[in-house]
Amino acid sequence: QVQLVESGGGLVQAGGSLRLSCAVSGRAVSNYAMAWFRQAPGKEREFVTTISWNGGRTDYALSVKGRFTISRDNAKNAVYLQMNSLKPEDTAVYYCALGPLLGMTSRDYNYWGQGTQVTVSS
């Protein structure tokens, strides 16, 4: 069974930082692209960022570019999302995802975590 577990979410003041982690079990992540998506209340799930299997390529949504950084540690079977300069509009449930190829749509990914809540107060 493939399981993804996100952690690190919480409440933070605007301008602050959070670091999300996603731990994967049941499958080595070294041959997979990984991504973060988010879903705010009343909104559709949206792409945030993705990273290739070896970390050689990354893509970011324009809304987070320059503020968020995705990274991975294949030895630890994990992916991370460093979020800086957080804004209230970043408030959402953040989901970690795993898939065979790099993509920017949810259909590109096969496995998903349960999500972790990030709330940014103004």
Side-chain angles (χ1 to χ4, degrees):
Q1 297 292 318
V2 178
Q3 293 185 338
L4 286 69
V5 180
E6 301 96 334
S7 62
L11 280 68
V12 65
Q13 191 174 0
S17 298
L18 283 174
R19 184 176 177 84
L20 306 184
S21 298
C22 175
V24 180
S25 62
R27 185 74 57 87
V29 304
S30 58
N31 294 124
Y32 293 85
M34 301 191 72
W36 291 93
F37 289 76
R38 67 186 183 185
Q39 187 166 20
K43 305 267 188 175
E44 294 183 347
R45 188 185 303 169
E46 68 172 337
F47 168 78
V48 177
T49 180
T50 187
I51 186 167
S52 60
W53 69 272
N54 63 352
R57 177 183 172 184
T58 58
D59 289 303
Y60 295 89
L62 289 176
S63 60
V64 306
K65 188 175 182 179
R67 299 188 297 119
F68 291 10
T69 303
I70 188 171
S71 61
R72 66 189 298 161
D73 188 339
N74 288 346
K76 294 182 178 180
N77 241 36
V79 64
Y80 308 96
L81 182 64
Q82 179 66 45
M83 304 184 293
N84 298 328
S85 301
L86 283 162
K87 304 174 181 179
E89 51 262 44
D90 294 318
T91 295
V93 176
Y94 283 71
Y95 297 92
C96 178
L98 181 151
L101 296 171
L102 203 68
M104 292 185 284
T105 174
S106 60
R107 292 185 176 89
D108 294 318
Y109 299 91
N110 305 114
Y111 303 100
W112 296 81
Q114 83 289 348
T116 185
Q117 176 71 48
V118 172
T119 302
V120 184
S121 62
S122 60

